Amino acid sequence: QYHSSLQGNSQVFSTDMLHYTNDKLTLMAELRQAISEQQLELYIQPQVDMRSHEVLAGEVYIRWRHPKRGLLTPDSFLALAEEMGVIYPLTQWVLNEAVAMIAKLKQAALVSKIAVNISSKDLLHDELVDALEQLFDKYQVAPGQLILELKESALVAEPVKAMTMLQRLHQLGVELALDDFGTGLSSLAYIRQLPVQYVKVDCSFISDLHKSDMNAAITGAIIDMARNLDLGVIAEGIEEAAVEQKLLRMGCSRGQGFFYSRPFELSGFAVWLKQWQPDKVKLQ
Ligand code: C2E
Ligand code: MG
Ligand code: MG
Ligand code: MG
């Protein structure tokens, strides 16, 4: 389809562009509406100790329940939200829901660490630290119960500002994880300077780890690097027992993926945790 329009004359091409722009404008208007009409929802995925299958934390993912298109994943609207400058208010909403959930879990004496993905743009908002402090105060939650995940690439555009913010977040006591690790271009020397506690090995290396020597080699190198730098390693995208077993042999014991649980509604996390049976994982 795309190819045939490129083969046509420029008229076809510009019509396509116009169509794309209209689509985008529509989506922008709809996204504004989504925020004001509360069509955004949060899902969560448990993170486990692969040796015992105890749950260590949960990672929150945003979703958009679009009135016509159904449930949308972030890939279809986050870049647009960033472009529209609405990502920070969106992050604030996610953080509020996440910290409220930490308090709820704590009350029920359940696992109480939650990871939230933040965008590179959020790191440029000085008020983020105060906002977090207020949330911890409001819900009586310890900062160490919140993990903030940011992509390796989040530090590229404004490295100095981003680094300053990471240091302030670290001083506040939240934990920091470098997401999608291995997909960017960070140098090892640079990573050592970041106040992060975890690196998360990207799904693209993990899903076929048991079949791809290349991906196993990359993952192995990341695990060794993390160990030498005293960082935790979290594998994401574990879909099969064989991958889990291989990761354990390689020295990585913390992970998440469809093998343990697909993401589900955040509101159901407490109930899910209560019915979770660590010893039954292989049977599920
Ligand atoms: P991420 O933080 O690296 O999250 C992992 C993604 O992999 C999630 O996609 C998750 O649903 C998916 N996943 C989990 N387990 C498996 C598995 O076993 N196999 C496969 N194939 N995929 C798995 P999702 O929810 O579509 O999110 C995509 C990205 O969007 C996230 O990547 C994160 O960077 C970003 N994101 C998600 N929620 C938020 C948010 O609230 N705020 C911001 N700023 N970014 C978010
Ligand atoms: Mg993440
Ligand atoms: Mg990731
Ligand atoms: Mg990702």
Side-chain angles (χ1 to χ4, degrees), residues 59 117 149 151-152 178-184 199-209 215-216 218-219 222 233-238 243 247 256:
E59 178 178 0
N117 294 285
E149 299 194 359
K151 290 180 199 220
E152 224 181 334
L178 214 47
D179 210 343
D180 296 359
F181 194 76
T183 60
V199 293
K200 300 192 73 176
V201 186
D202 193 62
C203 284
S204 58
F205 302 118
I206 301 295
S207 324
D208 67 350
L209 189 79
N215 287 341
I218 292 168
T219 304
I222 296 174
V233 199
I234 303 168
E236 51 185 9
I238 301 164
V243 173
L247 282 166
Q256 54 193 96

Side-chain angles (χ1 to χ4, degrees), residues 45 59-63 73-75 78 87 94 117-119 149 151 179-180 203 236-239 257-258 263:
Q45 182 179 50
E59 178 178 0
V60 168
Y61 303 125
I62 199 161
R63 298 284 181 266
T73 54
D75 295 335
L78 268 187
I87 197 79
V94 179
N117 294 285
I118 62 171
S119 134
E149 299 194 359
K151 290 180 199 220
D179 210 343
D180 296 359
C203 284
E236 51 185 9
I238 301 164
E239 296 182 358
F258 297 167

Side-chain angles (χ1 to χ4, degrees), residues 113-153:
K113 268 200 190 196
I114 287 192
V116 169
N117 294 285
I118 62 171
S119 134
S120 56
K121 297 263 192 322
D122 293 321
L123 295 178
L124 307 178
H125 284 262
D126 285 334
E127 62 274 32
L128 176 63
V129 179
D130 283 344
L132 280 171
E133 230 163 0
Q134 278 167 27
L135 279 181
F136 296 139
D137 211 50
K138 175 176 168 193
Y139 291 106
Q140 289 298 297
V141 156
Q145 292 179 279
L146 182 70
I147 305 168
L148 295 180
E149 299 194 359
L150 35 114
K151 290 180 199 220
E152 224 181 334
S153 56

